[in-house]
Amino acid sequence: RQDGQVVSVAVVIAVGVRAQTGEREILGLDVGPSEDGAFWTTFLRSLVARGLSGVRLVTSDAHRGLKGAIEAVLQGASWQRCRVHFMRNALSLVPKAAQQMVGATIRTVFAQPDARSAQEQWRRVAEGFRHRFSRLSELMDEAEQDLLAYAAFPQEHWHKIWSNNPLEKVNK
């Protein structure tokens, strides 16, 4: 509530994963009027001002303002599109009756043992949906690099960095 009225605000939390141990750590939290680029830039700059450095990967949804802020503030960091957010976008492109099958099929990518296998499986899955769900295949073509960025990091950390959802189960 602000001035006696219920208002919509953005609450954001930055969680880091330590390279050495894979442990998650809350880096910061903020509340703002919206998730626009200016808000994200200010938030990320505040983390850097408090000592955040050496960021190698940022996992998030595909919010344009956030991606721009990452590029501006965390130079050199790779970007990983959160697989949970991607899955929501992907499933919205197929009929409800097909969503369970489509989700399970896409998740086979994340069960692959190495980067090359994940990339090959991604392409097989996208191609397999091309005739039946062309919009889904197009989304997969566009998102491939963004969804597979995690594979450039140690495999033991994959399940912690391919999503920004800390509650996601590894074999969901």
Side-chain angles (χ1 to χ4, degrees):
R1 290 188 175 270
Q2 289 180 352
D3 299 325
Q5 293 189 4
V6 175
V7 295
S8 179
V9 296
V11 178
V12 298
I13 301 171
V15 177
V17 176
R18 292 188 175 276
Q20 300 81 5
T21 63
E23 292 176 299
R24 286 191 171 127
E25 176 182 343
I26 295 179
L27 304 174
L29 170 121
D30 203 357
V31 178
S34 69
E35 288 189 77
D36 64 8
F39 172 74
W40 280 115
T41 300
T42 300
F43 178 62
L44 293 178
R45 283 184 178 149
S46 74
L47 296 178
V48 170
R50 289 184 27 239
L52 179 66
S53 65
V55 177
R56 295 179 49 211
L57 179 72
V58 177
T59 304
S60 71
D61 63 6
H63 189 282
R64 224 175 300 155
L66 175 54
K67 286 177 66 177
I70 292 165
E71 289 176 21
V73 178
L74 303 173
Q75 294 92 7
S78 299
W79 179 69
Q80 164 73 40
R81 186 171 183 174
C82 172
R83 75 180 219 171
V84 172
H85 286 89
F86 172 80
M87 193 66 78
R88 289 180 192 143
N89 299 146
L91 296 180
S92 73
L93 299 175
V94 300
K96 191 160 185 74
Q99 289 180 356
Q100 187 173 5
M101 177 274 297
V102 167
T105 304
I106 293 173
R107 282 190 291 274
T108 64
V109 171
F110 303 104
Q112 301 307 307
D114 55 59
R116 183 176 178 192
S117 298
Q119 186 177 47
E120 290 170 357
Q121 181 66 5
W122 183 269
R123 291 179 181 165
R124 274 193 297 274
V125 170
E127 196 53 41
F129 289 138
R130 195 155 314 277
H131 296 293
R132 188 168 173 201
F133 306 119
S134 62
R135 288 177 53 211
L136 172 61
S137 289
E138 290 170 13
L139 176 66
M140 291 185 70
D141 293 343
E142 293 167 9
E144 179 178 349
Q145 283 188 316
D146 299 339
L147 259 292
L148 300 181
Y150 72 89
F153 294 85
Q155 186 180 16
E156 61 269 17
H157 299 322
W158 286 5
H159 70 281
K160 292 185 180 181
I161 62 175
W162 61 30
S163 170
N164 63 357
N165 182 346
L167 302 177
E168 182 191 28
K169 302 242 188 273
V170 174
N171 295 318
K172 191 172 182 182

